[in-house]
Amino acid sequence: MKKTAIIAMLLAASSSAAFAVARHGDWAGMVMGKEPSKIHGTVTMAAGKDANTTEVTLKITGDAASTTRPWHVHMGSCAKAGGVFGGGKSYTPLVGDAKGAGESKATLAVALPDTGSYYVNLHESATTMANIVACGDLKHDK
Ligand SMILES: [Cu+2]
């Protein structure tokens, strides 16, 4: 009887530890380049440190050397584009290094959403925003 209770507690402790990496309610996705781009990456969206803020982290590799890519989380999906989420001014363009890798973070002045559809996109450049070089749908960890 007692042994069973201890085992149950240990199981509960180990499963909550596994969830510590991606918290309940977080969003995450894989970013893939559109031909001919070889971009690969990840995006995560989680509650920010301050109340009613959301922190987005974008990491990519495989881009052309030393590029600057405007990017945003948008509402919708890669297949069905929508508007920018959380205000376009919150996003600082991603500056890639000589190996085509880069990282950018954005803090949005909105609470982490619990519903909806979101995706991240990387635009070719500030002057060719209509050209999307990479995209990734975000999945909700419910
Ligand atoms: Cu965008």
Side-chain angles (χ1 to χ4, degrees):
M1 189 77 178
K2 275 187 180 173
K3 262 188 190 168
T4 313
I6 289 164
I7 290 165
M9 282 171 62
L10 287 172
L11 286 173
S14 62
S15 64
S16 66
F19 278 115
V21 177
R23 283 172 296 174
H24 260 9
D26 286 359
W27 298 73
M30 302 266 293
V31 179
M32 297 290 286
K34 293 191 169 188
E35 283 293 330
S37 171
K38 302 292 184 216
I39 292 173
H40 276 268
T42 59
V43 57
T44 61
M45 187 162 76
K49 288 185 184 79
D50 297 328
N52 297 315
T53 64
T54 294
E55 184 151 301
V56 186
T57 303
L58 172 67
K59 294 179 185 177
I60 63 154
T61 59
D63 201 356
S66 308
T67 54
T68 298
R69 304 292 192 193
W71 67 280
H72 318 96
V73 171
H74 288 251
M75 291 168 279
S77 67
C78 293
K80 194 171 190 300
V84 173
F85 178 62
K89 286 177 184 167
S90 304
Y91 298 87
T92 305
L94 183 151
V95 179
D97 64 17
K99 290 180 175 173
E103 179 174 342
S104 185
K105 284 178 190 270
T107 302
L108 313 180
V110 290
L112 182 67
D114 199 42
T115 58
S117 299
Y118 304 90
Y119 67 100
V120 67
N121 66 12
L122 280 82
H123 300 258
E124 184 178 56
S125 75
T127 53
T128 55
M129 289 295 283
N131 291 349
I132 306 302
V133 292
C135 196
D137 291 325
L138 282 151
K139 289 195 180 76
H140 196 198
D141 178 20
K142 287 181 234 187

